[in-house]
Amino acid sequence: MQSVINSEVQNFDLELVKLYDGTKQCPINFTLNLIGNKFALLILRNMIYFKQNRFNQFLNSIEDINTKALTNRLKELEQEGLIERRIFNEHPIKIEYYPTEKGLALRSLLDMMATYSLTNFSKQVKDGKKRSISQIIKNGK
């Protein structure tokens, strides 16, 4: 798991978090508010890992999401600068979504979340075999 953590996270100043304990300015609280809405991380996951970029791809691959929730999450992610919407002047109009540099920077967080689950809850995640996130993504499982 150490290899997943980038140098910025390794140099993170714990005192900064303690300084903002319980306040809206806390960096952990801010990030949670930014990506903590239901389905936001799953949309980013699908963009980053599975290269999905179309509305119907998200709708068909994210369990329990509906069109209204997907529309709202895509708008929120775009407003926060985590994704960008590209409109193609075709008939019918084609719209695709792509992660921005800010959105792609969340990959290490997604990797750590997946590694945590695979390491500590392998029986609840997939078939119970301990594997890395790269093994799962590579095998399409």
Side-chain angles (χ1 to χ4, degrees):
M1 190 160 145
Q2 275 298 83
S3 64
V4 176
I5 301 173
N6 64 33
S7 61
E8 290 179 34
V9 175
Q10 289 174 349
N11 295 327
F12 185 73
D13 187 355
L14 183 59
E15 294 303 313
L16 183 64
V17 173
K18 290 179 183 177
L19 177 68
Y20 293 114
D21 181 36
T23 69
K24 291 180 181 179
Q25 292 82 20
C26 172
I28 294 171
N29 186 49
F30 179 82
T31 302
L32 186 58
N33 287 333
L34 187 66
I35 58 174
N37 289 332
K38 191 170 183 178
F39 305 118
L41 280 177
L42 298 178
I43 293 167
L44 287 165
R45 174 204 61 191
N46 286 19
M47 286 182 180
I48 294 169
Y49 292 128
F50 305 120
K51 308 301 181 207
Q52 292 182 359
N53 56 13
R54 304 289 303 274
F55 189 91
N56 283 335
Q57 289 175 318
F58 302 130
L59 197 59
N60 294 327
S61 63
I62 298 175
E63 190 174 337
D64 296 330
I65 198 166
N66 59 49
T67 56
K68 183 177 180 181
L70 178 56
T71 299
N72 289 339
R73 292 302 86 77
L74 288 169
K75 284 180 184 178
E76 290 167 1
L77 291 169
E78 185 179 9
Q79 288 171 348
E80 295 296 342
L82 298 174
I83 67 171
E84 66 178 357
R85 181 175 52 151
R86 296 182 191 161
I87 302 171
F88 297 88
N89 208 5
E90 300 176 2
H91 186 71
I93 292 178
K94 180 172 132 181
I95 300 174
E96 293 182 346
Y97 300 89
Y98 294 91
T100 61
E101 200 169 310
K102 281 184 188 179
L104 289 171
L106 289 167
R107 181 175 183 138
S108 61
L109 176 64
L110 293 170
D111 288 347
M112 287 190 296
M113 291 173 69
T115 300
Y116 174 81
S117 291
L118 292 166
T119 302
N120 296 291
F121 300 97
S122 60
K123 290 181 182 174
Q124 293 92 329
V125 180
K126 290 291 183 188
D127 57 10
K129 296 179 183 176
K130 288 190 177 185
R131 290 179 291 207
S132 70
I133 188 65
S134 60
Q135 290 171 313
I136 289 179
I137 299 302
K138 183 178 178 182
N139 296 332
K141 295 180 180 178

